[in-house]
Amino acid sequence: MFLEPAQLTASGRPVLQPGEVEVSLLDKVEIEFNPVGGVAGHQSHAYKNGYAILTNRRVIWVNADGAGAGGSGGADASAPRAAGLPLSALAASNKRVQYGIKGSKVRLVLDVYTNGQRQPVPTWGFHTNIDQVSLRCRGPAPDAFKSLLDEHAKQAVAAGSSSTSSSGAAGGAGVGGGYTAGPAGATQPGAAGAAAGSGPAGAGANSYMSPLTAGLQARHPPPLAGPGGGAGAGQGLAAGVSASGLPPPPPPPQHHLAQSRPPPPHSQQAAPQPDPALLQSMVEMGFPRNRCARSLLAVKNEGVQEALDYMLAFGDQPGMDDPLEATLSTTASHSLGAAAGSGGGGGWGQQQQPQQQMYGAGGAGGGASMRYPSVMPEGYPPPPPPPSQPPYPGGGYPGAAPLNPYGPVPPPPYFPSAYVAGGVSSAPGGSPQHPHGAGAPAAHLTAAMGSLALARGQTPHHHHGSAPDLSSSAAAGEAGRPAIGVAGIMMREQQKTEQSGRAVEQAFKDLSALMASAASMVALAEKFRGVLAAGAEAGAAAGGAGGGAGGEDPLLLDLETQQQLIALGISSPVTRETAGARYHTELSRQLADFLEGPLQRCGGMVSLPDVYCLFNRARGTELVSPDDLLQAAKVFSKAGVQGLRLRQLSSGVMVIQGPQHSEERVCTKIAELTSLPSSASAAPPPSQPAPPPPLGPGVTAGDVAVALGGISTVIAAEHLLLAEARGVVVRDDGPEGLRFYRNFFKQDRLEPGSMASYCRAAGGSGPGAGLAAG
Amino acid sequence: MHEQLSAFRSNLEEFARKYRADVRRDPVFRAQFHTMCANIGVDPLASNKSLWAAALGFGDYYYELGVQVVEACLASRSLNGGMMELPALLRAVNRRRGGAAEPVSEDDVVRAIKKLRVLGGGFDLLAIGGRSYVRSVPGELNLDKNRALEAAQARGYTWVAELSAAAGWTAGRSDETLQALTREGLAWVDDGAADGVRLYWFPCLSGAGGSAAEEQAAAAVGAVESSPVPG
């Protein structure tokens, strides 16, 4: 089974996606595959010697063997640096303990959904196998880790599934294509699921797409309305198939299609009433009247037997006993709402439709894509009650949407609306183009479906019948707003401001409200930051240097620093909860990653109190105490951090210095500064012995400070002393102060005996004079 | 728009103070909360002192205050070179904390600075002439001297007034820098100027990076002037 390689930062911490946060860490974990698996290119039976990090999206295994890519020179494929497994592909996790003589072996066995190529796929996608991978825990017990894992896996799956259901458009496109892929019943639901799953899961980039789907999408624009495809999906799934391939609503019951009976006339749609004769006979059997009426509507008055089956299946749904008349009048508006909702779902989203109506149509798409093939085991999440019982015509209808566990459940009465919506949208492409947006996606939808079986017998009059209502409701929705011109823009801006004001009031009512609307608040806050920035600039320009004229504090962190802090903000700080036994190691790695920016700005040296302030600011409320910071800084080398070092200067000041201040670099640089220029003296006349090479430039602390890029003279002096101790330079303590020259003793290979002649030959140049005399 | 901004800000401060513990529990929400605070400029660390913290001196309060103190020094470093008077620091910290939290006293600030001692000697309180200063930049990391050297490069010497004008510093700061350079041996004092102003000469600047030709010239001068001094 294949895992994805996970990226690591320079110091060995995992690179997190936006919105991903670390939750826990388990030390001393090995991954064991059955039989072989892992990251492509590093296939092996097991990856040893690592630790596992749980985030809210993935489980990441990190190799603890340091940063070397080659690892231990082993001949076999060495383990990669890090591997990741998405939580949404998890079916189950079990803890297994194996007792033996040498002690017990604890394993956390994960069941993962995989596809044909043995790659993990999300739960709502199409999978062919369930593979197992086990984490052998040699360190602490994995119980807490497992419970957190289960919790976050559930959330990840729920989040992924709900996004699937709400993005009816993508689902519709994918599902529609999936159905053309083939009529085989067994694979169709899977294909539907796969295409639907791949749509939202890939955020628009379909990772799995059959050639037919691709062709279909190429021919027709992707934002198809949900209900068409969804309804078709519901249909296909239910019966394992219609030979007509893509059967958007209104679908006749499956078994009827198989008998090649023509689709029932849609004249019934114009007057959705239960057949009184059938209704009477059902009531005489002793069933509640409203329930019978709804069941008859659901089966479109096919017959008593079908209605009874439907009632038995769905009679317990809430709302089944509501009187039908109340909904009949609203059915029309529901249908319009659904159609408009489908328009919204198709990406035109101009209208604010109530959520239910959206789901009436989109729910169908969602319901379809939520439909799991019956091979789905009881794992994450519990599958919906199987809708695909062939005798139930109700199951064949998009109204099987009530079974959607992931979206709001529209009660059965809504399904006629979807049905009707399907009727509206599936009208032949020759329908007049409506100026309102909802008409357009309907046209798209019909164009898409036009080539396939469907639209026979569609009653243009029905379409026309509903169209004016559609446009009128649409117009009514926007009554009283000038939609065009500058006035329109200004009014929209004002509305937006009012909306955000109300949102702010609402959100801060209490903590849970804030948590629910956190994402929108973040967006609002970023907008405000732009306002603040503009205000600060204006203030600075108008108010002169540093004055508080702009209304903002000159002593607040200046804008640049603030922006940098925002950019450097650590969204997933290492705490004792998330890192457990490896707290100091992970903390020092996070510190090293964080310090790259500040070190560059400060010339390679930052004092520890400054680090304390910047690091804590980036972490937000998760403070790290000064002692923990000191400890983390001390274990840089042990944690595998390259280049950073904690250094104590002679006055007791502690700094963290970057790689450009390492001893080797410093000495090299100083040697460069004091070295002779390459164009040496002219060739000496052959009769005389070669004159000694000149002394070369002398450097002081000031020169070194400038050359090493913005360090202070005190540090430069310390560096020079360091270089002198290493024998790179020699000092000259003269009347001009302390200067340093290249170590000509070593380089010119002077002997004590030849010293005097050397100095005389050097012509008594400044330093040489002292030597000659002394 | 601006009323909304201030409403947002005050609400956020209130929340940061009341719901600290809850915010910390959910990591995803915590990240979003911090982004909100960072964008608006609200300090999420502004909590109030608990009774125990005040009496026994532990708890997160002083660590948070330490962060805020260092931040105030960082922000003003470009203006005052790392030395800040304690009352000014107090005002800056109180402003940063926002309106919802209680104001801090000098004693709190002193305690917070003391807790930072474990991080090395760079950050401490100095008492100069009866006033307390907080020095946030240790001598080793002070780049003022480099600036002075730059300013003196044109002529090879400088004086306090000129350095203040060139670098935009106060007279005290320039004086301190030049004296420090003298102490290090990089500068010489010259009191013999015509108008009595003390000049500071930088021999390292005038002879820096001498080429061979320059050495020869110096040698010629040296050969004439110097007489071998025994010992």
Side-chain angles (χ1 to χ4, degrees):
Chain A
M1 165 184 142
F2 285 100
L3 293 178
E4 307 151 357
Q7 281 187 319
L8 295 182
T9 64
S11 62
R13 296 219 4 105
V15 171
L16 298 177
Q17 299 156 2
E20 192 179 2
V21 171
E22 270 182 55
V23 175
S24 180
L25 185 149
L26 195 60
D27 204 4
K28 299 206 187 57
V29 167
E30 299 173 4
I31 304 190
E32 292 168 357
F33 301 100
N34 178 19
V36 276
V39 178
H42 293 273
Q43 300 271 305
S44 169
H45 284 283
Y47 290 155
K48 300 206 182 245
N49 197 11
Y51 53 96
I53 294 181
L54 173 70
T55 72
N56 60 342
R57 302 240 182 101
R58 299 183 279 172
V59 175
I60 306 175
W61 178 87
V62 184
N63 195 339
D65 273 339
S72 54
D76 61 326
S78 52
R81 291 187 62 196
L85 175 68
L87 282 182
S88 52
L90 222 45
S93 69
N94 301 300
K95 176 181 162 190
R96 305 251 162 81
V97 184
Q98 207 177 343
Y99 295 99
I101 296 183
K102 291 191 209 156
S104 58
K105 297 187 187 172
V106 184
R107 287 192 174 87
L108 192 61
V109 179
L110 306 174
D111 297 330
V112 181
Y113 294 124
T114 54
N115 62 7
Q117 288 88 26
R118 301 227 112 77
Q119 285 158 343
V121 287
T123 330
W124 56 87
F126 167 63
H127 66 270
T128 53
N129 310 292
I130 299 181
D131 278 336
Q132 280 192 348
V133 68
S134 56
L135 303 175
R136 166 95 190 269
C137 310
R138 290 182 189 264
D143 302 291
F145 191 80
K146 174 178 164 10
S147 54
L148 284 171
L149 178 74
D150 292 339
E151 185 189 316
H152 283 274
K154 261 193 233 153
Q155 283 175 10
V157 171
S161 325
S162 60
S163 71
T164 310
S165 64
S166 55
S167 62
V175 168
Y179 274 105
T180 56
T187 58
Q188 208 168 14
S198 66
N206 282 331
S207 50
Y208 168 81
M209 209 189 290
S210 74
L212 271 172
T213 318
L216 202 74
Q217 276 197 349
R219 267 202 301 159
H220 307 289
L224 297 176
Q235 166 103 17
L237 257 181
V241 187
S242 57
S244 60
L246 188 58
Q254 297 313 305
H255 55 279
H256 293 296
L257 250 193
Q259 296 162 18
S260 72
R261 195 165 128 186
H266 295 281
S267 54
Q268 288 179 347
Q269 293 178 24
Q273 294 276 359
D275 188 352
L278 298 176
L279 186 59
Q280 195 55 35
S281 50
M282 283 181 77
V283 168
E284 275 167 13
M285 283 189 232
F287 295 107
R289 169 172 274 275
N290 292 326
R291 215 179 269 200
C292 300
R294 286 173 184 274
S295 311
L296 276 174
L297 265 187
V299 303
K300 286 179 276 305
N301 295 325
E302 282 295 330
V304 177
Q305 185 55 43
E306 292 84 2
L308 282 178
D309 292 333
Y310 183 87
M311 194 160 57
L312 281 173
F314 302 121
D316 294 326
Q317 298 282 342
M320 266 301 253
D321 285 326
D322 295 337
L324 205 51
E325 289 69 33
T327 64
L328 275 184
S329 54
T330 56
T331 302
S333 59
H334 284 158
S335 70
L336 302 177
S342 77
W348 298 85
Q350 305 276 351
Q351 288 183 329
Q352 302 287 334
Q353 291 297 337
Q355 196 67 356
Q356 298 158 327
Q357 292 164 345
M358 177 76 113
Y359 270 90
S369 51
M370 282 301 118
R371 212 61 52 75
Y372 296 96
S374 51
V375 299
M376 189 73 65
E378 296 289 325
Y380 291 99
S388 53
Q389 307 300 325
Y392 289 136
Y397 296 108
L403 302 179
N404 177 2
Y406 296 107
V409 178
Y414 280 153
F415 118 83
S417 67
Y419 188 86
V420 172
V424 170
S425 54
S426 62
S431 65
Q433 283 289 336
H434 296 285
H436 182 62
H444 278 296
L445 190 58
T446 56
M449 320 278 198
S451 58
L452 304 163
L454 270 233
R456 322 167 248 238
Q458 299 299 329
T459 50
H461 75 265
H462 171 67
H463 183 77
H464 288 310
S466 57
D469 295 351
L470 195 66
S471 47
S472 66
S473 75
E478 291 206 354
R481 295 183 201 171
I484 52 169
V486 177
I489 295 177
M490 282 176 54
M491 189 156 316
R492 271 196 287 277
E493 283 300 311
Q494 194 172 347
Q495 277 164 2
K496 268 193 241 164
T497 316
E498 281 170 30
Q499 264 177 10
S500 58
R502 259 176 282 136
V504 167
E505 274 176 41
Q506 284 264 321
F508 281 103
K509 285 250 167 62
D510 60 13
L511 187 64
S512 41
L514 184 60
M515 286 175 76
S517 57
S520 51
M521 287 296 121
V522 168
L524 200 57
E526 282 177 6
K527 200 168 62 137
F528 279 144
R529 177 163 66 100
V531 169
L532 270 181
E537 282 169 15
E552 291 303 324
D553 270 304
L555 283 187
L556 282 182
L557 283 184
D558 57 290
L559 211 58
E560 194 191 309
T561 319
Q562 191 172 359
Q563 279 176 349
Q564 272 163 353
L565 269 189
I566 291 174
L568 289 177
I570 295 174
S571 60
S572 173
V574 170
T575 63
R576 284 194 193 271
E577 289 89 35
T578 67
R582 295 180 63 99
Y583 176 54
H584 287 290
T585 317
E586 293 295 311
L587 187 63
S588 69
R589 286 185 181 174
Q590 193 170 55
L591 183 62
D593 289 333
F594 171 72
L595 278 180
E596 277 178 34
L599 274 180
Q600 279 189 356
R601 272 182 290 134
C602 298
M605 264 202 193
V606 201
S607 76
L608 221 47
D610 288 354
V611 172
Y612 173 73
C613 167
L614 292 173
F615 194 44
N616 273 327
R617 273 288 171 223
R619 285 168 64 107
T621 48
E622 289 296 332
L623 280 186
V624 61
S625 72
D627 308 277
D628 279 334
L629 183 69
L630 192 59
Q631 195 62 33
K634 282 187 183 158
V635 294
F636 271 144
S637 52
K638 211 164 64 127
V641 173
Q642 310 288 348
L644 291 190
R645 209 175 69 106
L646 177 70
R647 178 170 162 183
Q648 186 158 23
L649 303 177
S650 42
S651 63
V653 175
M654 289 204 256
V655 293
I656 295 185
Q657 66 179 27
Q660 64 258 49
H661 288 278
S662 69
E663 291 192 359
E664 288 73 25
R665 282 262 199 111
V666 162
C667 292
T668 324
K669 191 77 186 182
I670 292 180
E672 244 178 82
L673 284 175
T674 55
S675 64
L676 290 173
S678 50
S679 57
S681 46
S687 54
Q688 293 177 3
L695 210 47
V699 293
T700 62
D703 306 321
V704 173
V706 169
L708 278 184
I711 58 170
S712 75
T713 49
V714 184
I715 305 270
E718 284 205 15
H719 282 321
L720 279 170
L721 295 177
L722 182 76
E724 186 191 15
R726 280 201 169 187
V728 177
V729 288
V730 292
R731 72 163 65 190
D732 170 32
D733 208 348
E736 283 186 353
L738 195 58
R739 277 179 178 260
F740 289 83
Y741 293 88
R742 67 179 176 93
N743 189 353
F744 59 90
F745 293 103
K746 201 183 341 176
Q747 287 175 10
D748 298 347
R749 278 182 290 277
L750 283 188
E751 299 288 316
S754 55
M755 196 85 80
S757 55
Y758 180 87
C759 299
R760 268 190 296 273
S765 53
L771 275 176
Chain B
M1 176 67 95
H2 282 275
E3 322 79 65
Q4 271 185 18
L5 176 57
S6 40
F8 196 100
R9 194 180 244 178
S10 51
N11 274 327
L12 210 51
E13 283 173 359
E14 184 80 19
F15 261 73
R17 205 170 40 82
K18 278 206 287 188
Y19 295 115
R20 272 282 300 284
D22 303 307
V23 167
R24 286 169 77 159
R25 239 184 282 137
D26 177 9
V28 180
F29 175 65
R30 184 179 66 204
Q32 287 168 325
F33 191 75
H34 291 161
T35 320
M36 273 191 261
C37 290
N39 279 318
I40 293 289
V42 166
D43 188 355
L45 286 184
S47 70
N48 285 333
K49 210 168 18 176
S50 70
L51 198 58
W52 293 111
L56 304 176
F58 57 68
D60 269 355
Y61 177 70
Y62 286 106
Y63 293 138
E64 294 164 12
L65 193 52
V67 173
Q68 288 165 343
V69 164
V70 178
E71 189 184 36
C73 290
L74 264 179
S76 61
R77 197 173 280 175
S78 52
L79 295 177
N80 57 27
M83 289 274 280
M84 202 170 175
E85 283 189 44
L86 199 52
L89 178 62
L90 202 58
R91 275 197 302 274
V93 167
N94 275 324
R95 210 166 0 194
R96 181 83 175 96
R97 281 165 69 88
E102 293 168 2
V104 211
S105 68
E106 275 198 14
D107 182 57
D108 293 329
V109 172
V110 169
R111 273 197 179 174
I113 294 179
K114 279 213 192 95
K115 288 216 180 267
L116 291 179
R117 284 270 168 77
V118 69
L119 292 177
F123 202 90
D124 47 10
L125 272 175
L126 306 171
I128 300 180
R131 300 160 115 186
S132 334
Y133 290 88
V134 175
R135 189 190 60 186
S136 59
V137 180
E140 285 85 347
L141 297 183
N142 196 341
L143 294 177
D144 281 355
K145 297 188 195 121
N146 296 28
R147 186 72 186 85
L149 288 175
E150 259 179 67
Q153 225 162 20
R155 274 179 282 235
Y157 65 91
T158 186
W159 60 101
V160 173
E162 199 229 350
L163 183 55
S164 309
W169 295 341
T170 61
R173 194 170 161 190
S174 316
D175 189 44
E176 168 73 31
T177 309
L178 289 171
Q179 285 192 15
L181 280 166
T182 314
R183 273 196 297 270
E184 265 183 53
L186 289 171
W188 288 4
V189 169
D190 173 15
D191 276 331
D195 48 0
V197 171
R198 175 175 275 195
L199 299 178
Y200 293 84
W201 288 81
F202 293 93
C204 53
L205 286 181
S206 52
S211 63
E214 222 173 305
E215 301 258 277
Q216 296 283 344
V221 172
V224 167
E225 278 190 81
S226 71
S227 50
V229 177

